Structure formats: structure tokens, C-alpha cells
Amino acid sequence: MLWLVVAALAVRQMAVVLRQPPGERLTDLETWIGENGVLHVTGSLYSSDRFTGTPFAGLVLKPLTRTAEQSLGVAWTFGSLLLVAALGIIAARALPAPVTRRTSLLAAPVAISLLMLSLPVRNALHLGQTSILPVLLVLLACFAVRGERASGLLIGLAAALQPAVLLFAVLLRLTGRRQAAVTGGIAFAACTALAWAAMPHDSWTYWVHHVAGAGLGDNADSLANQSLHGALLRFGLEGPLEIALFVVLAAAVCYLGLRRAIRYARDGQLLLAVAVTGCVAVAVSPTAWQHQLLWVLLAVVGRVGKRASDRLVWPVVVVLVLTLPGKMLLPNNAVVFPVRDNVLLIAALGAACAAPFLPRTSPYWQHPIPTDHAAPVAARWGRVPLLPFWRRVLSRPNLLLELLLIRVVYSAYSHVRLAATAGRATAEHHGRQVHSLEQWLHIDIEHWANHAVVEVPWLRGFFDYYYATFHFIVPLAILGVLYVRRPADYRWVRSSIGFATVLGLVGFWLYPLAPPRLMPGLGFIDTVHGVQDFAKPDYGTLTSMTNQYAAMPSLHFGWSLWCGVVIVMLAPKMWMKALGLLHPLFTVSAIVATANHWVLDAVGGAAVVALGFGLTYVLSGPRRLQLPAVPAAAEPKDGIAVPVPRSPDDAVSSKQLQ
């Protein structure tokens, strides 16, 4: 099945590239070898900023200028995918021993899938870049070929295409492979000399005038340049001060990173050592464009954390950083811009200098501290079939993973919600259907409530503020309190709101609905956004943040009802339970009074929340858990206390467990 996924991803990637118009696909390759590409020009390769490769790369690409563009596009894309497949297979076979049978079976397809989904590979396929080849050459040199001379030759070829890769010759030298390191240096010098002899002016421009390509292509302070040099420029430093600081930082990263790489290589984790060295090359290179950052993804093989519950933190962070844009990982807030704009560089620096990878000699390498689990109590409703898909964990999940999960899920929710629209006519038609049904049921109170609130300025201001603010604050506050105080309950209620939100997205997609404020001719007043000009066909696009026709079901009310139910279930005091019920009451009043939802939207919100709790119940069992076996002192036997397990019938809440 995983290999079928790999095949589907490969077909998808080829289709995405080849369906683009000729002028928009393989753009870098086209500017190099196309009809008017720089490789056809008799003058300098670097007379414009379109070619950013080394002179040796230009020399290698020259013969391709005679290839027809259409056939070259197919061959180049298919060849790049083959390189990715080879890269994944080699990386999977290079995993440090011991490797379980399941891991050996799953490693290759999982590695290839992650590579194809990663931003560097997608970017390289779209642009027609050669950045996959140096990574493959290095892995071949370290894990596939025999003999130090062959390894050094491949390292030298890779460095001739991407100069920062020459750091691997240093790694070889410091790990005892002196002949391979010398051969790599000689091969790099020979390739560079060959290009210098064939193109002396271009070689002078690249190596001397632009200092190993620095300054070619996009501006060095572009977000695409995820190196220390690019980050310092984005922070506003320039001139001699920036250069001096860059040299100092680069030297420190090289020292720390290569020292760690040597330690991991001697520990038998050569793939991790290669990944760490590659991350060092990314950080210290003057320009490290997005398509050159595959090294960071290889660092996923490192094991971090003594606890089993923390073991997934590092690989999840690396995969998310390498597959999702920074805007999905972090909010659009100026405070986090320095992190969001440099997230790939931060991941590379973390892998090179900071991540506490476990050595194979650690007792936690194969046997991390296990996670405590408990079984739920017997189902209250015996006729409800339970399908326990996951074991109930007692401890709180890793905070970083939870924050990433919440952010990524919310970002995906926003994107799907924004895309789930069928146009104004359909949404208004559904609005008339809902309005007619409410009239038939005699619950069409929206117009009365809307105009009654407008007549009372302080009440209008209260509901406007409540509608815009508490929708996010209260659920996040509840999740935060439960995470700290009642972790087992946190997992259960988090799953329920997650299911409810997914079901809400299905409703947005299947039934786009115009809210009362966007229904022309009914006389509603939009108290939050102001008066609408219904003569404009795009009046519904009030903001770039949300889809205005995502009204059924109302997750405003659904999330508030979820908050009320959770507080009633878990709050220890009666006054807290009563206070919790006010939130859904105020929310349903706000969504109706501000003309943002129909009454039936609230009914839909209640339905998806009920289904969310129901799905959580079916898939994980009741919220209350059985007390696990606890060691207790019994009569000593030979001077040793014998633990006595508690009865499995003792059922307690997670608060008591905590």
C-alpha cells in the first residue's frame, strides 16, 4: 500500500509540473537551456542573474541545449523523480542498526513519500533545478560505492555542483577516511579547473567577483535564502559588520556541527552524521535556496528524547517544517516573523548544533521510558459498539507537538473553509431555503433580535465584541487548563472538538449558506462589518481571512456549546458549571443578534458537536478510566516488598489518577 502511495505521489508530481504552461514550468531550466536561455548566449553565463550554478554546472548542462523543450521537460521531471526514489532507498538502507523487520519494510516507501512531499523537492521539480543530484552523490559516496577513491570522486563531483558540499571532505578526513577526503578535494579541484579552462571569464566572475556565487540569483536577503548570511541581512545588518559576524557565526557552526557529526559517525550513525554535516553546509553557505535544503529532512533519522511520548517530537517538527510553508506553522503576527521567516534555517541550526540526539550506547536508544495507559470504564450504553482505535494515555502530550498540531489544524481549517464556496447565487438560494423552513417552524426570530439589539447601543457593542473575541479565547483557555491540570481529559475533549470541526468543514463544503446579513431584501443590519452594498457582485468577500458563506453549521455556537458541555462535565463547583452554561447562551444570542447566523445554523453546530463527542466515545471509549495497577507494599518476601495490583473494577476519573 505504501508503494502505491509512492507511485500516486510520483504521478501527481509529474502531472503538476507538466500541466503548467510552457512559460511557467521548469522556469530555471528554461532560462538556462531554453531557446533564449543563458547557455545559448555566447557571452558570460553571469551577464544576468538567471544562472546561479557553478561554471562546472554550466559546462555539464551545455549539451542539453540541443534537446527539444517538450521532451526535455518530461525526461527531466521523470529523471528527477527517479533520483528522489534512489535517494529514499539509499537513506532507508543506511538507517543505523539494529533495525526491526517492520522498519526495514516501511522505511523506503515512507522516505520516498516524505521526500516527494518536501518543499525542497517540490521546488526543485517546479524550477527544474539540479539540487537533488549533489545530495544523491554524497549518499552514494557514503553508503553505496566501495573504495575510498570512488567515494572521494563522488564527493568532489557533488562539490563542483554545490561548493558547500566540500565540507563532507572535511568530515571524511576527520573520521579517518583520509584517502577519500584527498580524492574528493582533487576531484573538486579538477572539475573546477576544467571549467576554468573552458570558461575563464565566467569562472573569475563566479569564484572571485561573486565569492563562490554569493549575490547571484535573488537578492541575498530574500526569504528564499535560508542561510546565516540571508538571516543577518533580513535583520538589517549589512556591510563589514554583517560580513564579520557571518564569518564568526559560520566558524562556530562549523566547529560545533562537524564535532557532533564526527561523534555520531563514530557511534555508528553515519546517516545522521551526513545529515548534520549537510545542515552545517546549509547554514554557512552564503546562499542556501529552498531547493537546496534536503539535508534538513535527512536529520529526521536522529532519535531525541528518553520518553516514548517525546520520541515523535523531533521527526514531526522536521517533517512539518520541510513540508508546510511558514505561514501555516506560525500565526501572522509580527512578533513571530523572525522565527517564521527563518524557520528552515532554525531547523538546520537545531540539527547541526543543538538537537540532543541519543547515542546508540544509551539505554533509551531501543527502550525509551514507556507511556502510561489506562482502559476506559465499561460503556454506560451497552448497545453502543465501541471501536477503540487508540489506547488512552494518562500523561499529558508534548507541548510543542500540541501547539504545532493546533496551529496546523487551524490553518488547514481556515484554508478549507476559504475554499468551500459555490458562489453567491447558490449561497443565497440556500439562505432562502433556511429562512422558509424557519418561518414554517415559527422560529424566524433573527430580524426581530437584530433590530432590537441595534436600538440599544451598549447591547450592540457587547454582542459585537463577544462575537469577534470569545470564539477563540474560551476554547483555548479550557484546553490550556485541562492540559495542565487533567491531561487524560485533555486528550479526550481535544479529540471531540477536532471531530466536530472536521464535520463542520464538511457542512461548509456541501451546503454553502448566506447568513442573514448577506441576504438582500430581508432588511438585516450587519452590526459587525457595517452596511453592505448589495449592488456589488463581490460584496461577500469582506475579508481575506474567511469564507463569508461558511455559515452552516455555526462553529461559533458549536465551539461554545462544546465549552459549556466540557465545563459542566469537569468543573468541580456548581457555580462554575452554571457560569460555563452562560457562554453558549451569550454566543447564540450574539450570532443571531448580529445577523451572522440563522437559528438553524446553531442547531447544526449543536449537531456536529454531539457527533464529535459521539465519535470520540465510539473510538476511544468513555471518558472515565479504570485505575491501572499500582505497586503497593505487601508482606515482605525475602526482605522484598511484593507489589499488589488494584482491582481492575476500580473506576476513577482522570483527575483522581492525576
Side-chain angles (χ1 to χ4, degrees):
M1 290 299 296
L2 286 173
W3 283 111
L4 288 177
V5 172
V6 170
L9 286 174
V11 172
R12 170 67 176 167
Q13 294 287 21
M14 284 199 68
V16 168
V17 173
L18 298 180
R19 280 190 306 186
Q20 296 292 327
E24 298 179 11
R25 69 182 180 208
L26 305 175
T27 50
D28 281 5
L29 184 63
E30 179 67 19
T31 58
W32 298 345
I33 65 178
E35 184 177 348
N36 299 314
V38 295
L39 297 181
H40 282 286
V41 179
T42 57
S44 173
L45 292 175
Y46 308 108
S47 57
S48 68
D49 61 356
R50 293 184 297 174
F51 187 76
T52 59
T54 62
F56 179 75
L59 192 64
V60 171
L61 289 170
K62 273 280 189 181
L64 297 178
T65 56
R66 301 175 183 175
T67 309
E69 191 276 334
Q70 185 64 32
S71 61
L72 178 62
V74 176
W76 188 276
T77 305
F78 184 71
S80 298
L81 290 173
L82 289 179
L83 295 181
V84 172
L87 193 64
I89 292 172
I90 295 173
R93 297 185 64 179
L95 291 175
V99 177
T100 64
R101 181 174 180 272
R102 183 178 65 175
T103 301
S104 64
L105 288 174
L106 302 182
V110 169
I112 297 172
S113 299
L114 290 177
L115 287 168
M116 287 187 179
L117 291 172
S118 67
L119 292 173
V121 168
R122 282 151 49 193
N123 194 268
L125 289 173
H126 174 71
L127 297 177
Q129 276 284 353
T130 60
S131 54
I132 300 172
L133 187 57
V135 182
L136 179 60
L137 290 174
V138 171
L139 290 190
L140 287 172
C142 294
F143 303 107
V145 301
R146 295 182 178 180
E148 293 199 12
R149 291 183 179 178
S151 298
L153 179 61
L154 292 176
I155 294 289
L157 286 174
L161 296 173
Q162 207 174 93
V165 175
L166 198 59
L167 277 173
F168 284 95
V170 180
L171 176 67
L172 293 176
R173 174 66 180 84
L174 295 177
T175 53
R177 302 178 65 181
R178 182 174 181 178
Q179 186 177 8
V182 172
T183 305
I186 293 174
F188 168 74
C191 292
T192 304
L194 177 63
W196 201 291
M199 298 178 290
H201 177 69
D202 288 337
S203 297
W204 175 270
T205 302
Y206 182 87
W207 291 108
V208 179
H209 182 67
H210 282 289
V211 190
L216 294 174
D218 293 340
N219 292 330
D221 62 350
S222 168
L223 292 180
N225 180 15
Q226 290 291 307
S227 69
L228 283 170
H229 178 51
L232 292 175
L233 292 175
R234 285 191 290 274
F235 284 130
L237 299 175
E238 58 183 11
L241 175 62
E242 187 274 329
I243 294 174
L245 186 57
F246 169 62
V247 171
V248 171
L249 291 176
V253 170
C254 284
Y255 175 76
L256 292 175
L258 290 175
R259 186 177 179 182
R260 282 160 53 90
I262 294 167
R263 183 165 68 248
Y264 299 135
R266 291 173 177 170
D267 186 55
Q269 301 185 67
L270 184 56
L271 181 58
L272 179 58
V274 169
V276 169
T277 306
C279 290
V280 173
V282 166
V284 304
S285 177
T287 52
W289 307 117
Q290 190 178 77
H291 54 269
Q292 299 171 334
L293 301 180
L294 265 181
W295 302 109
V296 185
L297 184 59
L298 294 180
V300 76
V301 300
R303 297 188 183 184
V304 178
K306 298 179 180 180
R307 298 180 178 273
S309 58
D310 296 334
R311 189 57 63 83
L312 286 177
V313 176
W314 174 253
V316 168
V317 169
V318 172
V319 170
L320 289 179
V321 167
L322 266 293
T323 56
L324 298 178
K327 292 182 179 180
M328 289 191 69
L329 297 173
L330 294 168
N332 188 26
N333 190 304
V335 176
V336 297
F337 281 177
V339 177
R340 193 186 73 179
D341 294 345
N342 302 287
V343 65
L344 290 169
L345 171 63
I346 293 172
L349 290 174
C353 304
F357 299 119
L358 291 173
R360 290 199 306 163
T361 55
S362 170
Y364 305 106
W365 169 266
Q366 283 288 93
H367 305 287
I369 299 173
T371 302
D372 293 329
H373 297 86
V377 298
R380 181 177 299 175
W381 300 289
R383 296 183 180 179
V384 178
L386 299 182
L387 305 171
F389 271 33
W390 59 81
R391 300 171 66 191
R392 297 288 297 278
V393 180
L394 297 177
S395 59
R396 61 182 55 86
N398 185 276
L399 181 59
L400 178 59
L401 279 183
E402 288 300 296
L403 293 176
L404 282 173
L405 175 66
I406 291 173
R407 174 59 195 171
V408 171
V409 169
Y410 179 73
S411 183
Y413 158 77
S414 300
H415 281 80
V416 174
R417 177 186 167 114
L418 188 61
T421 178
R424 174 178 174 180
T426 302
E428 289 181 358
H429 173 67
H430 291 160
R432 288 188 291 270
Q433 287 180 339
V434 170
H435 189 224
S436 299
L437 180 58
E438 287 191 354
Q439 288 178 322
W440 183 72
L441 294 172
H442 301 288
I443 58 173
D444 55 326
I445 63 171
E446 294 88 356
H447 189 277
W448 167 80
N450 179 234
H451 283 261
V453 167
V454 169
E455 297 297 327
V456 185
W458 70 267
L459 190 59
R460 170 179 176 170
F462 170 76
F463 280 134
D464 287 353
Y465 182 78
Y466 204 93
Y467 174 83
T469 306
F470 285 81
H471 177 47
F472 299 104
I473 291 178
V474 179
L476 290 177
I478 290 175
L479 289 173
V481 170
L482 292 179
Y483 178 86
V484 174
R485 299 293 300 275
R486 305 176 71 164
D489 282 335
Y490 165 82
R491 293 176 180 271
W492 201 86
V493 299
R494 177 203 61 188
S495 300
S496 63
I497 195 174
F499 284 132
T501 303
V502 171
L503 293 170
L505 288 178
V506 175
F508 300 156
W509 194 278
L510 297 179
Y511 198 76
L513 173 66
R517 61 185 174 83
L518 296 183
M519 288 294 293
L522 296 184
F524 287 97
I525 300 172
D526 188 344
T527 64
V528 178
H529 305 96
V531 180
Q532 304 302 319
D533 184 358
F534 291 102
K536 294 182 179 180
D538 61 344
Y539 72 87
T541 311
L542 298 174
T543 70
S544 60
M545 298 295 293
T546 186
N547 170 20
Q548 301 299 312
Y549 297 135
M552 172 63 80
S554 169
L555 287 184
H556 253 85
F557 177 69
W559 287 2
S560 69
L561 180 62
W562 173 87
C563 294
V565 171
V566 170
I567 292 174
V568 168
M569 285 195 306
L570 303 179
K573 306 290 185 180
M574 285 302 300
W575 66 267
M576 295 180 182
K577 299 179 186 290
L579 190 63
L581 292 177
L582 291 179
H583 179 51
L585 177 62
F586 285 158
T587 301
V588 72
S589 302
I591 64 175
V592 173
T594 59
N596 276 282
H597 283 284
W598 306 95
V599 172
L600 288 179
D601 295 345
V603 176
V608 297
V609 167
L611 288 173
F613 279 115
L615 282 172
T616 306
Y617 181 89
V618 168
L619 296 177
S620 65
R623 180 184 62 83
R624 290 171 62 85
L625 300 173
Q626 291 181 358
L627 187 67
V630 178
E635 293 189 8
K637 189 175 184 179
D638 297 331
I640 301 175
V642 181
V644 177
R646 293 179 181 267
S647 168
D649 296 328
D650 293 337
V652 295
S653 69
S654 60
K655 184 177 191 316
Q656 290 171 298
L657 288 172
Q658 182 66 7

